[in-house]
Amino acid sequence: MNKTITKDIHYVGVNDHKVDLFEGQYKVPNGMSYNSYLIIDDKVAVMDTVDKNFLNEWIDNIKSILKDRPVDYLIVQHMEPDHSANIINFLKHYPNATIISNKKAFKMMEQFFHVEIKNKLEVENMDSINLGHHALTFVFAPMVHWPEVMFTYDSEEKLLFSADAFGKFGALDVEDDWDDEARRYYIGIVGKYGQQVQNVLKKASSLDIKIICPLHGPVLTDLIPHALEKYNIWSSYEKEKDGIAIFYTSVYGNTAKAVRGLVAKLRLKGYDNVIVKDLARTDMSKNVELAFTYGKIVLATTTYNAGIFPFMDEFINHLTERNFQNKKIAIIENGSWSPVAAQIIKEKLSKCKNLTFIEPIVKILSSIDKDNIVQLDRVANELIKKDLQPGEVEDKSKLHHYVCTVCGYTYEGEYLPEDFVCPLCRRPASEFEQID
């Protein structure tokens, strides 16, 4: 696949529609792109290689543009095999080319290929080379998301070759939403390294960038301000969207029933911005993405083998591995004897920063009882409560209390909905009295 990016810079990457799991775990129904770029100046440079299965297509893409002209440099920004696997094969076609990379990357080449790269140029952070009109500066970006990663800035075109940063899932011949697949890609692959991404964003802010060329996904131009804004949110672990995300597992349907009850209470109180995911039946990487997207999370699961149900256990492991933080969390646990799910969830999340656990914990013993209904109502109220800013005091002047004249249940809100039904005795709203 060839595409002209600027007069001197061409796309020579490939699309992969055979891959089903990227990195052995991420479902990619729209495939992947492995991006490589060609810079033609007084000297010729190729930016990165592609997955090993696409050697011939990639070399054909290069030669269709260069014809018989040799390549002077192969610049290796990242050593993951989907970008570096064809380094040695490239040298078979262009034996006089110089490999440009950094010390850590050359060490990895020895580990991957077990051969000595003789014709090489080892660069340091902020070193530059001149191709003619194009001056390339190498900006080290350690742990975004491997330690050897570097970006390359072309001052002539104001173009940043960004390695895996600003990449996304999906081949380039398929149109899909950039945010969704870039977010899932970022959270899944780079999400642990938020501070390192913040450091790179600070470096990037000093550069005049008109074009970003990542190693996966489309070349960015008009989308750059939006992409930078999203990366700042994702790497600072702040909520991206208002709403409540509920993640659950259920063995015999009783925990799922509690989740449905909570959703019904939220909607009865006028709150509809709720998403619900059954962890056993939905894509795990998408669920992890959603957990980082929303500021309020509900985890509902059963005690299982003196632990928690496997899909919830895996889900929480994915969160903690990626520095999950800055959330409000409600817990619904279920167990027929010795329920410990809530305790284990809190223990697993104990090292995460700035988590607030909503009270009460809803504790179901086998199936929902009237106490659980009251607990779910209280949890719903806490979930929809406005988040206060530092120094701000909650305004309760608009809240009123309504008591059921039959059983004494008290409802708190700005008003009592006409279709409200007492969760304890099932009496209608007409049986309630306002007490303030």
Side-chain angles (χ1 to χ4, degrees):
M1 178 178 175
N2 295 336
K3 178 183 177 182
T4 299
I5 298 170
T6 70
K7 179 174 67 72
D8 298 331
I9 299 178
H10 305 267
Y11 178 89
V12 290
V14 299
N15 288 317
D16 181 359
H17 284 289
K18 295 180 180 179
V19 61
D20 59 339
L21 292 176
F22 182 68
E23 293 193 353
Q25 62 176 314
Y26 302 104
K27 294 179 181 178
V28 283
N30 291 332
M32 286 297 296
S33 69
Y34 310 119
N35 298 345
S36 175
Y37 305 92
L38 176 66
I39 308 172
I40 302 177
D41 202 336
D42 295 343
K43 297 280 183 77
V44 173
V46 173
M47 304 297 300
D48 297 288
T49 82
V50 299
D51 182 88
K52 64 181 179 181
N53 296 313
F54 296 89
L55 169 65
N56 293 334
E57 181 181 348
W58 174 58
I59 292 295
D60 287 347
N61 289 343
I62 296 170
K63 290 188 174 182
S64 69
I65 297 171
L66 288 181
K67 308 303 182 187
D68 294 327
R69 186 173 177 180
V71 175
D72 297 283
Y73 302 114
L74 172 63
I75 298 172
V76 178
Q77 301 182 108
H78 182 25
M79 276 301 299
E80 260 189 303
D82 54 334
H83 308 299
S84 68
N86 282 309
I87 292 173
I88 303 304
N89 291 325
F90 173 86
L91 291 175
K92 294 176 183 177
H93 290 268
Y94 296 100
N96 295 320
T98 297
I99 307 297
I100 298 178
S101 199
N102 56 66
K103 183 177 181 179
K104 290 180 179 178
F106 281 119
K107 176 62 176 175
M108 289 185 184
M109 288 181 209
E110 294 177 9
Q111 295 169 184
F112 275 112
F113 307 125
H114 307 292
V115 298
E116 181 183 359
I117 305 292
K118 295 181 179 179
N119 197 11
K120 67 182 182 181
L121 175 61
E122 184 178 303
V123 296
E124 300 289 342
N125 186 37
M126 302 310 292
D127 279 356
S128 296
I129 64 165
N130 199 303
L131 302 181
H133 298 292
H134 296 262
L136 304 181
T137 300
F138 305 106
V139 182
F140 283 18
M143 300 317 300
V144 184
H145 58 117
W146 277 26
E148 86 298 349
V149 171
M150 65 183 188
F151 297 170
T152 305
Y153 180 67
D154 182 342
S155 57
E156 172 71 14
E157 304 286 2
K158 296 179 172 51
L159 184 153
L160 183 70
F161 296 99
S162 63
D164 270 351
F166 304 104
K168 65 177 283 293
F169 295 127
L172 297 184
D173 54 1
V174 178
E175 290 190 13
D176 53 19
D177 182 78
W178 186 88
D179 282 16
D180 282 350
E181 289 296 66
R183 184 191 302 108
R184 186 166 71 97
Y185 176 90
Y186 175 88
I187 297 299
I189 294 174
V190 190
K192 180 180 178 67
Y193 303 107
Q195 184 57 59
Q196 289 83 349
V197 174
Q198 284 283 306
N199 294 339
V200 166
L201 290 176
K202 290 177 183 177
K203 292 181 182 179
S205 67
S206 66
L207 303 174
D208 184 7
I209 301 173
K210 304 296 184 186
I211 305 171
I212 294 178
C213 292
L215 288 177
H216 298 290
V219 172
L220 305 181
T221 52
D222 295 343
L223 198 64
I224 289 175
H226 177 78
L228 289 171
E229 177 188 10
K230 292 298 182 184
Y231 258 60
N232 185 52
I233 293 171
W234 300 339
S235 61
S236 58
Y237 303 101
E238 297 300 327
K239 74 172 183 182
E240 184 181 352
K241 297 180 181 179
D242 290 324
I244 300 167
I246 302 175
F247 304 96
Y248 77 94
T249 63
S250 189
V251 181
Y252 294 109
N254 289 302
T255 308
K257 184 177 180 180
V259 167
R260 291 194 297 271
L262 177 59
V263 172
K265 287 181 178 296
L266 290 168
R267 289 176 176 162
L268 190 62
K269 297 172 189 293
Y271 198 95
D272 293 320
N273 193 7
V274 182
I275 62 167
V276 180
K277 295 295 180 179
D278 179 350
L279 294 175
R281 293 176 173 83
T282 50
D283 180 72
M284 187 61 73
S285 67
K286 183 66 178 177
N287 292 331
V288 172
E289 171 202 344
L290 292 170
F292 278 84
T293 302
Y294 292 92
K296 296 176 181 178
I297 306 297
V298 179
L299 302 176
T301 194
T302 54
T303 298
Y304 190 85
N305 287 338
I308 56 178
F309 200 73
F311 288 102
M312 181 63 73
D313 193 49
E314 179 189 355
F315 178 63
I316 294 176
N317 287 341
H318 282 299
L319 301 184
T320 57
E321 287 169 2
R322 290 162 176 80
N323 280 335
F324 191 63
Q325 56 189 275
N326 301 330
K327 305 293 180 183
K328 283 189 173 181
I329 299 176
I331 299 174
I332 300 172
E333 69 170 351
N334 194 350
S336 294
W337 72 95
S338 300
V340 294
Q343 174 189 334
I344 293 174
I345 288 172
K346 284 191 171 185
E347 288 173 355
K348 290 177 72 68
L349 295 172
S350 62
K351 294 183 179 179
C352 297
K353 298 177 182 177
N354 195 28
L355 299 185
T356 300
F357 289 97
I358 289 172
E359 294 294 340
I361 291 172
V362 179
K363 183 176 181 178
I364 302 168
L365 295 175
S366 301
S367 63
I368 300 172
D369 61 18
K370 63 181 181 180
D371 290 336
N372 297 142
I373 294 171
V374 175
Q375 291 168 346
L376 288 170
D377 193 67
R378 290 173 60 191
V379 167
N381 287 336
E382 290 297 316
L383 285 169
I384 65 177
K385 186 182 292 184
K386 176 188 174 186
D387 292 331
L388 299 179
Q389 299 303 313
E392 186 180 2
V393 178
E394 183 179 2
D395 180 12
K396 293 189 176 182
S397 62
K398 295 182 179 179
L399 295 181
H400 301 289
H401 295 83
Y402 303 84
V403 64
C404 177
T405 59
V406 176
C407 70
Y409 172 78
T410 301
Y411 174 87
E412 181 183 72
E414 293 185 28
Y415 64 92
L416 182 69
E418 292 182 1
D419 58 353
F420 185 76
V421 175
C422 179
L424 298 186
C425 67
R426 312 306 297 169
R427 307 299 288 181
S430 59
E431 301 282 356
F432 279 69
E433 291 182 354
Q434 184 174 337
I435 58 175
D436 58 2

